C-alpha cells in the first residue's frame, strides 16, 4: 500500500528532495500528491517541478488568520487525495484545523535533539550553548511548537569552536536519513503512540549497515535503504 502524502515547505526543500529520492528508488512507499509552500519562489518548488510533482504556493500573508490559512491548506491537500502531511522545513505553526483533518498523521523534522532548542535557529542555539551532542528529531505534530511525541532522533558530536553552519550541515545530512525512515514507518502503519512514547512495531526490513554514516547515534536504528 502506498501512502499519499502532502509535503509543506518554506525554503530549500532538501528534506523534500530526500523523500523524493527514497521514493524514486522504491524504498519509501509514498506518493507525494502535493507540495505546498507558504513562501513564493523557493527552491523546494523547483525540486517538486523537476520531479513532476504538483505544487502550489499559498502565502499565509493572503489570509487574515491561522485558521483561514490552515483551512485552505487542508482543502488543497484533500483535493489532492493526501492522507498524511509532512512538514519539511515549514516555518509556520499548524493549527487545530489541519491537525483535526489528518489526526495522528502530521510529522515534522526539527534540527535539534528535542526537547532542547525548539523554535527557530536550533543549530545556532545548540552551537552557542556549547552542547557536545547535537542532532535532529522527527516527531508527531501537536498544537505546541516542536513538541509532539518523538519518533526518531539522531545525535552527532558538536565540536568546540565549530561554526553553527558546519554543525547545521552535519545535522542536515542526518535529517535526510531519519525523515524518510520515519515517513516509511508511518506508511507501513508501524507507529503506535502511547502517551508521549512512540513504539515502532517490528517490520520485515533488515537493519541498515551503518558504514556509510559519519559518527552518529540513531535510534531507533535505520532499516535497509534509509
Ligand atoms: C531543516 O533543518 C529542518 O529541520 C528545519 O528547516 C530546515 C529545512 O531545510 N525545520 P530544507 O528546506 O529541507 O532544506
Amino acid at each position: 500500500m502506498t501512502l499519499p502524502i502532502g509535503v509543506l515547505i518554506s525554503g530549500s526543500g532538501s528534506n523534500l528532495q530526500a523523500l523524493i529520492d527514497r521514493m524514486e528508488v522504491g524504498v519509501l512507499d509514498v506518493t507525494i500528491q502535493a507540495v505546498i509552500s507558504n513562501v513564493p519562489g523557493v527552491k523546494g518548488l523547483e525540486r517538486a517541478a523537476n520531479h513532476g510533482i504538483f505544487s502550489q504556493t499559498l502565502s499565509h500573508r493572503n489570509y487574515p488568520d491561522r485558521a483561514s490559512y490552515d483551512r485552505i491548506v487542508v482543502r488543497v491537500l484533500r483535493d489532492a487525495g493526501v492522507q498524511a502531511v509532512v512538514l519539511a522545513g515549514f516555518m509556520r505553526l499548524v493549527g487545530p484545523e489541519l491537525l483535526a483533518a489528518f489526526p495522528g498523521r502530521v510529522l515534522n523534522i526539527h534540527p535539534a535533539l528535542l526537547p532542547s532548542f525548539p523554535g527557530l535557529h536550533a543549530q545556532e542555539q545548540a552551537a552557542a550553548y556549547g552542547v557536545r551532542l547535537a542532532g535532529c528529531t522527527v516527531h508527531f505534530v501537536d498544537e505546541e511548537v516542536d513538541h509532539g511525541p518523538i519518533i526518531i532522533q539522531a545525535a552527532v558530536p558538536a565540536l568546540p569552536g565549530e561554526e553553527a553552519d558546519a554543525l547545521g550541515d552535519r545535522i542536515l545530512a542526518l535529517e535526510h536519513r531519519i525523515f524518510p525512515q520515519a515517513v516509511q514507518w508511518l506508511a507501513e502503519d508501524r507507529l503506535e503512540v502511547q502517551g508521549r512514547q512512540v513504539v515502532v512495531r517490528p517490520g520485515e526490513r533488515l537493519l541498515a549497515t551503518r558504514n556509510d554514516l559519519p559518527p552518529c547515534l540513531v535510534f531507533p536504528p535505520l532499516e535497509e535503504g534509509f
Side-chain angles (χ1 to χ4, degrees):
M1 253 278 285
T2 296
L3 181 67
I5 67 167
V7 183
L8 308 192
I9 62 168
S10 301
S12 147
S14 69
N15 278 292
L16 165 67
Q17 187 70 53
L19 294 169
I20 294 171
D21 292 346
R22 295 287 115 180
M23 194 176 80
E24 289 187 345
V25 296
V27 291
L28 177 56
D29 300 323
V30 302
T31 53
I32 301 177
Q33 301 285 106
V35 170
I36 296 177
S37 173
N38 69 317
V39 181
V42 294
K43 181 153 182 213
L45 290 164
E46 197 182 307
R47 296 182 195 267
N50 288 342
H51 293 267
I53 297 170
F54 164 78
S55 70
Q56 192 163 339
T57 301
L58 291 173
S59 173
H60 55 280
R61 295 177 197 283
N62 297 336
Y63 298 84
D65 50 35
R66 189 180 314 283
S68 51
Y69 181 70
D70 282 7
R71 274 196 292 277
I72 180 72
V73 170
V74 167
R75 190 184 319 150
V76 171
L77 293 173
R78 281 210 166 124
D79 287 350
V82 163
Q83 289 177 16
V85 182
V86 163
L87 311 183
F90 185 60
M91 306 306 276
R92 277 185 63 79
L93 255 182
V94 298
E97 277 79 6
L98 191 137
L99 296 176
F102 301 97
R105 291 191 145 215
V106 185
L107 264 51
N108 181 46
I109 176 98
H110 182 71
L113 291 174
L114 291 173
S116 295
F117 313 121
L120 294 176
H121 310 303
Q123 307 92 328
E124 286 86 341
Q125 291 185 57
Y129 195 93
V131 296
R132 301 311 304 263
L133 288 170
C136 44
T137 304
V138 182
H139 62 95
F140 283 105
V141 176
D142 64 12
E143 286 179 39
E144 291 178 49
V145 180
D146 300 327
H147 174 268
I150 290 171
I151 298 167
I152 184 171
Q153 293 187 302
V156 290
L159 311 176
E162 184 177 37
E163 295 290 333
D165 281 357
L167 177 60
D169 286 348
R170 286 188 298 115
I171 294 171
L172 190 63
L174 279 172
E175 294 183 40
H176 297 161
R177 305 296 290 265
I178 69 169
F179 203 23
Q181 171 73 86
V183 174
Q184 176 62 18
W185 286 334
L186 184 76
E188 291 179 30
D189 198 20
R190 288 170 56 193
L191 299 175
E192 192 174 311
V193 182
Q194 301 175 351
R196 282 222 45 98
Q197 314 293 320
V198 177
V199 175
V200 182
R201 284 192 291 262
E204 281 163 17
R205 287 188 206 217
L206 300 175
L207 295 185
T209 49
R210 209 71 53 72
N211 51 13
D212 64 331
L213 284 174
C216 69
L217 173 65
V218 181
F219 196 77
L222 296 171
E223 296 174 348
E224 234 177 3
F226 293 94

